[in-house]
Amino acid sequence: AQKITQTQPGMFVQEKEAVTLDCTYDTSDQSYGLFWYKQPSSGEMIFLIYQGSYDEQNATEGRYSLNFQKARKSANLVISASQLGDSAMYFCAMREGHYGQNFVFGPGTRLSVLP
Amino acid sequence: SQTIHQWPATLVQPVGSPLSLECTVEGTSNPNLYWYRQAAGRGLQLLFYSVGIGQISSEVPQNLSASRPQDRQFILSSKKLLLSDSGFYLCAWTAGLAGGTDTQYFGPGTRLTVL
């Protein structure tokens, strides 16, 4: 079974609008971390935001926020005030266990910001 | 601050030739190191990870191998490349912390084309 599911292969958003990228995960561990990465056309993977399984508040980093719903096992990324430079692939990832070494990545969502 | 380097940036190799990709990390000690492969338009596939010198875990059986001769150096090799080895190879590191925000940071990647 897929551990990380991203059901939106592609998304379009108008510049300056907000957009939500979906991510659901599957784990039986109580301790885990959830991450979002951005991959522009250059290929480099850029870390955006982190949410720990015990964090009670949703993580925020500038225009990025993570809508963490633990009971639903979802960790959606919200980008506010989209910019043309936000056009990229976005990957959700999970690290399982308190001493987990491995990261599991979802298939990604391609976001296109329209002028 | 920590930086991660990969070289070469691009590589075109004939089928059956050997391969050596190098990854080095600066500004940290005893990192966990990872090699991923990404096929065009796809997600990340974990190939190898290492928690210390000489300690390599393989996730996918194939004709690739990895070595960690020094604390901050991780090498991906092959004796004979296959067409299916084409892809974008990413190296990543974490601090190896238990729990917490043990975030994975990526290098710029190597784009390999096997002809």
Side-chain angles (χ1 to χ4, degrees):
Chain A
Q2 293 287 336
K3 293 217 172 211
I4 298 287
T5 302
Q6 295 180 254
T7 58
Q8 308 151 313
M11 289 278 288
F12 291 90
V13 65
Q14 209 68 38
E15 194 178 7
K16 300 180 185 177
E17 297 289 314
V19 63
T20 298
L21 305 184
D22 295 342
C23 172
T24 57
Y25 59 92
D26 182 26
T27 182
S28 56
D29 286 327
Q30 296 301 308
S31 177
Y32 53 89
L34 297 160
F35 305 79
W36 276 92
Y37 289 85
K38 172 184 178 182
Q39 187 179 40
S41 56
S42 62
E44 189 168 1
M45 294 283 284
I46 302 166
F47 166 68
L48 295 178
I49 196 166
Y50 162 83
Q51 179 85 42
S53 59
Y54 294 118
D55 295 341
E56 295 185 352
Q57 304 252 359
N58 286 340
T60 60
E61 287 288 347
R63 293 187 298 110
Y64 304 108
S65 61
L66 200 153
N67 184 0
F68 182 45
Q69 298 188 43
K70 195 170 182 176
R72 292 186 173 186
K73 293 188 175 179
S74 79
N76 298 339
L77 176 70
V78 181
I79 305 175
S80 62
S82 297
Q83 302 172 355
L84 295 178
D86 293 334
S87 294
M89 282 290 287
Y90 288 81
F91 292 95
C92 180
M94 175 174 65
R95 176 182 52 78
E96 290 184 283
H98 191 70
Y99 299 98
Q101 311 290 355
N102 284 358
F103 289 69
V104 179
F105 284 78
T109 295
R110 181 170 297 281
L111 177 67
S112 298
V113 180
L114 306 174
Chain B
S1 65
Q2 301 87 7
T3 54
I4 178 169
H5 304 279
Q6 284 186 249
W7 63 89
T10 59
L11 194 58
V12 180
Q13 292 284 98
V15 169
S17 63
L19 173 73
S20 180
L21 303 181
E22 189 165 342
C23 170
T24 58
V25 181
E26 295 177 356
T28 187
S29 296
N30 198 30
N32 287 352
L33 296 171
Y34 303 79
W35 277 113
Y36 290 90
R37 178 168 61 199
Q38 186 179 28
R42 306 291 294 274
L44 274 67
Q45 178 188 35
L46 178 64
L47 301 175
F48 302 94
Y49 71 93
S50 170
V51 300
I53 295 174
Q55 300 178 63
I56 309 294
S57 295
S58 174
E59 292 296 307
V60 181
Q62 56 206 333
N63 70 320
L64 299 173
S65 62
S67 62
R68 184 168 176 176
Q70 300 180 42
D71 181 44
R72 289 168 289 176
Q73 185 184 30
F74 205 23
I75 297 172
L76 182 70
S77 303
S78 174
K79 292 182 179 177
K80 287 186 178 182
L81 283 168
L82 306 173
L83 286 174
S84 58
D85 291 324
S86 292
F88 189 55
Y89 288 81
L90 286 157
C91 181
W93 74 275
T94 71
L97 305 172
T101 168
D102 194 23
T103 303
Q104 201 166 56
Y105 297 96
F106 287 82
T110 295
R111 201 166 298 277
L112 172 66
T113 303
V114 182
L115 301 175

